[in-house]
Amino acid sequence: TGWNFTTPSLYSPSIPSKDLFAQKAYYSDAKFRWSNGNGTGRIVVMREYDKPIRYPLNQRTYTANSSFGLGNDLGDGNFVVYKGNLDSAAVTGLTPGKRYVIAVFEFNEWQDSIKYRQANPAILALNMLKTGDVIFAGNTLSVSRATYY
């Protein structure tokens, strides 16, 4: 005489994101890409290199902002810079010459429930280039917007 619906148990994703790499890391902007795991989505957390890593907490939803420092802070300057289901993100507001660490965490979300995969996130250390830095890529040498006096 009626429907009986049971809410399914929500599990953390079993496969992490991987192969995280920078497509661009110059001056104050960075763009990076990764291979997705098996979550319904992922968040990207970015911090300065000398800060300790913080992990997202289950059942907590975070707000991302692609301008570094404006998304939710997981603690100790670990800012959420992306939340979604794509395989790339771009970040602005970085400091030239500074080193950052990026971590991609898979999650499963259903209605008001969210579970993160905290084991083995994709991690990348990123050195932001600044004016005058020399770049080697394969057999090519280039100088990034050098200023001469």
Side-chain angles (χ1 to χ4, degrees):
T1 59
W3 294 93
N4 185 5
F5 181 75
T6 304
T7 302
S9 295
L10 188 64
Y11 297 97
S12 297
S14 59
I15 300 172
S17 297
K18 62 181 183 174
D19 303 328
L20 176 59
F21 68 96
Q23 291 182 300
K24 174 190 173 192
Y26 177 72
Y27 199 62
S28 62
D29 302 335
K31 184 174 182 182
F32 32 90
R33 194 169 208 96
W34 60 85
S35 296
N36 292 337
N38 67 341
T40 59
R42 50 225 40 95
I43 65 169
V44 176
V45 178
M46 191 170 192
R47 64 182 170 87
E48 292 180 6
Y49 185 78
D50 60 345
K51 306 280 185 186
I53 190 168
R54 295 292 179 240
Y55 294 84
L57 301 174
N58 288 330
Q59 307 307 344
R60 187 165 296 176
T61 300
Y62 298 98
T63 300
N65 191 308
S66 63
S67 183
F68 181 73
L70 297 182
N72 282 149
D73 185 350
L74 276 60
D76 295 315
N78 286 256
F79 296 103
V80 179
V81 295
Y82 173 81
K83 179 183 178 188
N85 59 5
L86 300 177
D87 64 353
S88 65
V91 180
T92 61
L94 303 172
T95 303
K98 193 162 260 208
R99 193 169 191 196
Y100 295 89
V101 175
I102 302 134
V104 180
F105 296 91
E106 291 284 320
F107 66 80
N108 281 328
E109 187 173 32
W110 191 77
Q111 292 185 347
D112 293 333
S113 187
I114 189 166
K115 292 247 181 134
Y116 297 94
R117 178 182 172 87
Q118 296 183 342
N120 305 317
I123 295 179
L124 174 69
L126 181 69
N127 292 312
M128 293 304 298
L129 298 177
K130 60 188 181 305
T131 299
D133 284 347
V134 177
I135 306 163
F136 288 95
N139 294 326
T140 304
L141 167 67
S142 61
V143 178
S144 60
R145 295 187 187 173
T147 303
Y148 299 99
Y149 294 101

